[in-house]
Amino acid sequence: MDKVAIKDSKYIPKKAQIIKVTQMTPHEKFFHLVLEGGESLDHEPGQFIMVSVVGVGEVPVSVCSSPSRRGSFDLCVRAVGKVTRSLHKLEAGDVIGVRGPYGVGFPIRILEGNDLLIVAGGLGIAPLRSLINYVLDNRRDFGNVHILLGCKSPNDMLFVDELGEWQKRMDVHYECTVDNAAPDWAGNVGLITTLLPGVDIEPERTFAVVVGPPVMYKFVIKELLAKNIPERQILVSFERHMKCGMGKCGRCQIQGIYCCQDGPVFNYEKIKDLSEAF
């Protein structure tokens, strides 16, 4: 049996320094980081990493920056548990541990040359930001691009400055809706499914990419199928109960499929019949 040096073990995290921290909403913070020694993260849009805080623990977090913007990477972290609350207490200059990237991301080579209908719900915009900025950095490689975003309220919106830039672009169709509007909100009000009937697409050349809370998927997919988008051209991302990131612990398993290894990005056609998937 080949011996593996401890320093080369996939379980040993690399050091990453926090360059910038931004409070995005009352619950989410944005972290801009660099790996020790200037090493590249070498991730694909849709992949995740395991982030550790010494003495506290480790959690999976989607990379929200595009691999086309090398030299650093970004994370958007919601404070929902012990580790993420500890992450929220860190500042620029602090160091965290990083393992990965892990999992199957969005199939860029398959998406190239096709139209994209990107549907993001809430924190789902974080992994999709990686894909969106990759597409925008390589705009000529893709057809029409629709971005639909749904949030609970205007105060829950993430990456607000970039949303404004996407809205201004002539080569992107961007729409946003909120469940609950503020008095000064002039945009759409309603669930994200209310935006889909008005989207003009050519279904045979459109790939739909959907990331959001679990309750959103079946309703959005129903609308996508009603627009005649083939099942094989609907992509979803699951990040369920991931613990080790390497298919060893089985925490993220859905009927024999490991979200951390076989996903988190899945083709709807292949998982639609898994009873625990939706």
Side-chain angles (χ1 to χ4, degrees):
M1 179 182 295
D2 295 335
K3 293 184 178 179
V4 178
I6 292 177
K7 66 181 180 60
D8 296 328
S9 169
K10 295 180 180 178
Y11 291 96
I12 302 298
K14 299 174 183 177
K15 293 181 179 178
Q17 185 175 41
I18 299 171
I19 302 302
K20 181 182 178 182
V21 183
T22 304
Q23 186 82 48
M24 304 179 78
T25 74
H27 306 292
E28 284 95 7
K29 281 190 174 182
F30 173 86
F31 294 84
H32 184 60
L33 304 108
V34 293
L35 284 176
E36 188 178 55
E39 185 179 349
S40 175
L41 187 62
D42 284 336
H43 69 289
E44 299 173 357
Q47 287 189 303
F48 70 96
I49 57 176
M50 298 300 298
V51 176
S52 56
V53 179
V54 175
V56 181
E58 189 178 47
V59 290
V61 181
S62 296
V63 182
C64 65
S65 53
S66 168
S68 53
R69 303 177 185 187
R70 301 175 65 83
S72 61
F73 63 98
D74 302 333
L75 303 175
C76 176
V77 179
R78 175 176 289 174
V80 292
K82 182 174 63 175
V83 179
T84 51
R85 283 195 290 271
S86 294
L87 279 168
H88 270 228
K89 295 176 182 176
L90 301 181
E91 301 174 344
D94 288 334
V95 174
I96 61 173
V98 168
R99 289 195 293 120
Y102 294 121
V104 177
F106 301 111
I108 293 296
R109 297 296 169 255
I110 294 175
L111 298 180
E112 286 177 344
N114 290 287
D115 296 343
L116 301 181
L117 173 53
I118 298 171
V119 184
L123 190 56
I125 191 62
L128 286 173
R129 175 181 180 256
S130 177
L131 174 65
I132 291 169
N133 282 331
Y134 180 90
V135 171
L136 297 181
D137 289 344
N138 299 274
R139 190 62 189 90
R140 293 181 178 177
D141 295 337
F142 299 88
N144 294 327
V145 176
H146 294 264
I147 302 173
L148 306 183
L149 172 64
C151 299
K152 288 183 178 178
S153 74
N155 291 333
D156 294 309
M157 285 188 175
L158 303 169
F159 310 110
V160 172
D161 291 343
E162 287 177 67
L163 300 182
E165 294 174 7
W166 299 344
Q167 190 169 24
K168 292 176 184 175
R169 290 183 67 117
M170 300 298 290
D171 58 353
V172 171
H173 306 275
Y174 169 84
E175 287 192 81
C176 176
T177 186
V178 297
D179 298 350
N180 303 297
D184 59 345
W185 176 254
N188 296 299
V189 179
L191 300 176
I192 195 165
T193 47
T194 62
L195 298 178
L196 284 162
V199 177
D200 185 20
I201 60 168
E202 296 180 52
E204 68 278 3
R205 59 165 292 151
T206 298
F207 275 79
V209 186
V210 186
V211 187
V215 68
M216 186 185 89
Y217 284 99
K218 66 178 181 180
F219 298 105
V220 169
I221 290 171
K222 181 180 179 181
E223 293 291 335
L224 297 175
L225 295 174
K227 297 184 83 66
N228 295 318
I229 297 178
E231 293 179 345
R232 65 180 181 281
Q233 293 172 204
I234 298 175
L235 304 172
V236 299
S237 181
F238 295 145
E239 296 181 6
R240 297 185 178 182
H241 313 300
M242 294 177 186
K243 187 66 175 178
C244 69
M246 294 188 287
K248 303 297 184 185
C249 71
R251 291 274 299 269
C252 64
Q253 187 180 187
I254 303 175
Q255 295 181 263
I257 290 179
Y258 290 80
C259 289
C260 70
Q261 292 283 284
D262 302 310
V265 175
F266 293 96
N267 183 305
Y268 173 69
E269 184 179 47
K270 294 183 178 179
I271 63 166
K272 64 178 183 179
D273 295 324
L274 296 180
S275 58
E276 300 172 17
F278 297 98

